[in-house]
Amino acid sequence: MGAGASAGRNGPVRITATIIALNEERNIARAVRSVAFCEEVVVVDSGSSDRTVEIAESLGARVVTNAWPGYAAQKNFAAEAASNDWVLSIDADEAVGPELAGSIMRLKSGPPDRSGYDFPRLARYCGQWIRHSGWYPDRKVRLYRRDAGRWVGAYVHESVELSGAPGHLEGDLLHYTCETFEDHRRRVDRYTDLAAREIASSGRRVPVWRLVAGPALSFVKSYLLQLGFLDGRAGLTIAVMAARYVYLKYSKARGLADG
């Protein structure tokens, strides 16, 4: 077992921040700078044709190239490329906020009492921070000891499967999501393709009632039960797109099953 593992369990924690990227020149600098408190930053690039690699390297990140194998597999590849046994995994359109950075730096004095930690994620949507609509606090395990955690999820909604319950850190991981409604529409179209494939691969059939009732229930949940109306016009848009997501996911899954 390497020195990183020993230090992580019995003394100060050394952390590698990992970021997966493809054509992220707009976001990569913010992401890399936000994890400057880590001992190492590894960017795994899957073939960018823009300045992503150049920018990341100019900021001191180590860039590794790997053909795209899927979200969970790419994040596991990134963890394996790390020099330290503690991994802080963020996406290129995310950044560690100041309060969260402080929480992680305090944890680094060690030894940690858990093998992984979650923290809230705060999304910025069309210029507005979203604090309801089911989007917040959206706690995610992103800091973990790599011998105790692994990314799972064949298609979408990848997450860290951790041995043992996670600890909790305060401070937000900032998610700079859709800048425009068109960005949101494209994301919904892309992710419903993946979600439909996941359903189809499981062999499950989607009954007609899900196609009819699912979108309406999703809207009510986001806009009313999860207080999306408090997010104003953005909350209404998010609820409508949540309904659209459910409809497209199920309709595409039915199409794959029938095909």
Side-chain angles (χ1 to χ4, degrees):
M1 187 173 291
S6 175
R9 293 186 183 185
N10 303 309
V13 173
R14 295 178 60 82
I15 299 174
T16 294
T18 61
I19 306 168
I20 64 170
L22 173 64
N23 293 330
E24 292 284 359
E25 64 179 6
R26 185 177 64 181
N27 294 314
I28 194 66
R30 179 181 59 222
V32 171
R33 289 183 178 124
S34 79
V35 293
F37 58 88
C38 294
E39 282 69 26
E40 177 184 47
V41 180
V42 173
V43 172
V44 176
D45 184 81
S46 53
S48 292
S49 57
D50 63 4
R51 297 179 59 242
T52 297
V53 171
E54 175 190 342
I55 295 169
E57 289 181 335
S58 74
L59 295 172
R62 175 163 62 90
V63 177
V64 181
T65 301
N66 191 53
W68 182 249
Y71 289 101
Q74 191 76 321
K75 290 180 179 183
N76 284 325
F77 177 89
E80 291 164 5
S83 300
N84 299 298
D85 282 344
W86 278 87
V87 172
L88 172 61
S89 176
I90 70 171
D91 294 338
D93 63 352
E94 296 174 336
V96 174
E99 183 182 356
L100 177 57
S103 295
I104 296 174
M105 285 189 284
R106 286 190 292 274
L107 181 72
K108 279 164 56 70
S109 63
D113 60 352
R114 301 294 179 94
S115 58
Y117 294 85
D118 66 21
F119 34 80
R121 184 170 68 161
L122 178 62
R124 188 166 181 82
Y125 175 79
C126 295
Q128 177 180 336
W129 294 110
I130 304 299
R131 298 188 180 276
H132 307 92
S133 302
W135 281 22
Y136 189 79
D138 190 29
R139 298 189 76 96
K140 304 288 187 184
V141 174
R142 294 297 193 84
L143 176 64
Y144 62 99
R145 207 177 64 233
R146 62 180 177 172
D147 66 342
R150 184 168 181 81
W151 287 90
V152 297
Y155 292 95
V156 290
H157 307 308
E158 75 280 3
S159 60
V160 175
E161 187 174 79
L162 192 67
S163 59
H168 308 298
L169 297 180
E170 296 308 313
D172 294 327
L173 177 66
L174 307 177
H175 184 199
Y176 294 85
T177 184
C178 315
E179 292 189 359
T180 66
F181 175 79
E182 184 61 23
D183 286 343
H184 196 175
R185 188 193 64 78
R186 283 194 296 265
R187 286 192 182 213
V188 167
D189 287 346
R190 182 171 73 251
Y191 285 117
T192 51
D193 285 344
L194 296 173
R197 287 169 54 196
E198 185 173 48
I199 294 170
S201 68
S202 73
R204 289 180 288 137
R205 296 284 300 182
V206 178
V208 173
W209 71 264
R210 281 192 178 274
L211 192 62
V212 175
L217 292 173
S218 181
F219 177 89
V220 170
K221 180 181 178 182
S222 176
Y223 195 65
L224 297 179
L225 300 182
Q226 295 176 324
L227 307 182
F229 60 88
L230 294 179
D231 290 317
R233 184 174 180 179
L236 177 60
T237 302
I238 288 168
V240 169
M241 294 303 282
R244 175 179 169 82
Y245 178 94
V246 171
Y247 175 79
L248 289 176
K249 175 179 69 173
Y250 288 146
S251 62
K252 289 177 181 180
R254 285 174 62 87
L256 290 173
D258 293 340

